[in-house]
Amino acid sequence: MNYLPQITRRLHHCRDLSDSEPFDFITWFEYAPQDAGRFDELARELRRTPEWQYVEREIDIRLQAA
């Protein structure tokens, strides 16, 4: 909640996308380029949570509108 409205999130359970996806969940974050630092801060906080011990694979892909 500390990062709203600058950063928004969508969580997808992969069984809803395809049976052959290599991930259980995909989380999609959106933010304006000027809020990239806030997103980095959010990611650091998430990595420090107890739940993060269950993360087996993390892939950070950043797309930018042309």
Side-chain angles (χ1 to χ4, degrees):
M1 296 301 288
N2 294 335
Y3 298 93
L4 289 174
Q6 291 84 6
I7 300 171
T8 60
R9 179 188 76 131
R10 285 192 287 165
L11 179 65
H12 298 278
H13 194 274
C14 286
R15 73 170 178 231
D16 298 333
L17 302 175
S18 167
D19 291 333
S20 62
E21 292 298 323
F23 300 99
D24 292 331
F25 295 94
I26 295 175
T27 305
W28 177 278
F29 293 94
E30 292 187 10
Y31 54 89
Q34 66 267 22
D35 294 315
R38 298 264 305 149
F39 173 76
D40 292 334
E41 181 182 319
L42 170 61
R44 282 191 299 275
E45 283 189 30
L46 289 172
R47 290 180 185 113
R48 289 192 298 257
T49 63
E51 292 82 1
W52 200 262
Q53 69 181 332
Y54 300 103
V55 174
E56 295 177 2
R57 181 177 13 184
E58 173 189 0
I59 298 175
D60 186 341
I61 299 172
R62 299 187 187 209
L63 305 174
Q64 187 172 343

